[in-house]
Amino acid sequence: MKNLSRIFIVLLTFILWLGGLSPAFADDKTVLGVTSLYSTSEQQEQGVKVYKDILQYGIATPFSLPPDFQIPATKAEFDQKVVPGLIKVLGDGSVTKAWFDFQAGEAQIATKELFSIDAPLGQKIYSVVAGKPLQQCPLKIQDTQIDFFLDSDKAVERAKELDEQGYFIYVSPVKELRKKVLDALYEQYSGSNNPSCFLVNGTTQKITVDFQDPDIYPLLPPQLQSPGKNKPLVFLPKSGSEFLYVVNARQLSS
């Protein structure tokens, strides 16, 4: 009960923060992105319900097909009927405001764990969200890597670097890499007919968040600019836990 209370306090904080942005909400160019960490899958599920069902955000992580969804029997049908919509759901990572709640994690350096950043006027922040597989069916992640840029070309370059290092690229400006994740999930499923092979449940042993780009770290709160400039922020599960549970959500464009 205590854990659920903490979730709702954080979500209330987020909703109040959104309320303070009401003038921006009148501008349909404003797009908000959220990254939240949770200590348990039950807490993560509550977070998903709020972002998806109440706030009507798109959820990139955790990612799953709808209940009772019939996965096409052939890859060609999957590519034609399913992949285009799923690529859109995963998203290109572009936002104008990003909000972070890392309170459930154990920070490896002293840092602020609840904060936001804003893109300069007329610009966008581009993110890359990737995971290095630890286990399949359902997919569990050894390291979740999140990087931020103001230049979409840099985000493309970083996504390709992480792909070469064996990461699954869930969110990035590179559609081909988002499709590559879906191709891999389908291949796992077709080899086993196990629907859980299509589940990316946001379970990770570590999350690494990189604000080091010279255009990005100055956007951080003052107390985070120095650590954010010098190295990525790393969060591990708190004592007694093996995993963190990630929610990566994005305001859907109107």
Side-chain angles (χ1 to χ4, degrees):
M1 192 69 181
K2 181 179 178 181
N3 288 333
L4 288 178
S5 297
R6 191 197 74 82
I7 292 172
F8 288 117
I9 288 171
V10 171
L11 292 173
L12 178 60
T13 301
F14 175 62
I15 291 169
L16 290 173
W17 178 75
L18 294 183
L21 298 175
S22 54
F25 268 93
D27 178 359
D28 61 9
K29 294 185 175 66
T30 299
V31 179
L32 300 173
V34 178
T35 301
S36 296
L37 302 183
Y38 300 89
S39 299
T40 68
S41 58
E42 291 79 12
Q43 293 174 8
Q44 181 198 48
E45 183 179 355
Q46 292 298 318
V48 169
K49 286 181 179 178
V50 171
Y51 292 126
K52 182 178 181 180
D53 298 338
I54 297 176
L55 296 175
Q56 301 293 304
Y57 276 36
I59 307 294
T61 311
F63 168 80
S64 63
L65 296 174
D68 302 320
F69 181 85
Q70 296 298 313
I71 300 173
T74 68
K75 182 64 164 56
E77 185 181 5
F78 176 73
D79 287 344
Q80 179 183 1
K81 295 183 178 180
V82 180
V83 166
L86 294 183
I87 286 177
K88 185 176 181 180
V89 168
L90 291 174
D92 66 0
S94 62
V95 299
T96 57
K97 297 175 181 289
W99 190 82
F100 306 94
D101 174 15
F102 296 139
Q103 295 176 100
E106 187 72 44
Q108 297 308 286
I109 58 173
T111 183
K112 188 175 177 68
E113 297 171 344
L114 188 66
F115 61 95
S116 63
I117 61 174
D118 293 73
L121 186 64
Q123 299 187 57
K124 289 183 178 181
I125 297 167
Y126 295 91
S127 61
V128 175
V129 182
K132 195 160 195 177
L134 174 70
Q135 170 191 307
Q136 311 289 354
C137 301
L139 183 65
K140 292 184 178 180
I141 296 300
Q142 176 182 346
D143 176 35
T144 295
Q145 181 87 34
I146 306 179
D147 299 73
F148 295 93
F149 307 92
L150 287 185
D151 185 337
S152 62
D153 290 340
K154 289 184 178 180
V156 168
E157 182 181 351
R158 181 57 175 158
K160 291 178 178 178
E161 288 177 357
L162 289 169
D163 173 58
E164 291 174 358
Q165 294 172 26
Y167 283 76
F168 280 176
I169 313 300
Y170 317 128
V171 177
S172 86
V174 188
K175 285 186 179 180
E176 292 79 6
L177 293 182
R178 285 179 268 157
K179 183 179 183 300
K180 186 175 179 178
V181 172
L182 300 173
D183 289 343
L185 295 177
Y186 188 88
E187 182 179 350
Q188 293 165 20
Y189 165 77
S190 62
S192 65
N193 286 325
N194 180 356
S196 72
C197 292
F198 253 106
L199 176 62
V200 179
N201 60 9
T203 302
T204 185
Q205 289 184 323
K206 178 175 73 170
I207 182 165
T208 304
V209 190
D210 194 333
F211 298 101
Q212 289 181 280
D213 185 83
D215 294 325
I216 289 292
Y217 76 80
L219 305 178
L220 290 165
Q223 61 269 50
L224 284 179
Q225 289 182 11
S226 179
K229 175 183 178 180
N230 292 331
K231 61 176 64 176
L233 305 182
V234 176
F235 299 88
L236 299 175
K238 291 186 176 179
S239 179
S241 299
E242 184 179 2
F243 294 105
L244 286 166
Y245 299 84
V246 182
V247 171
N248 188 273
R250 182 174 179 267
Q251 181 188 14
L252 296 174
S253 300
S254 57

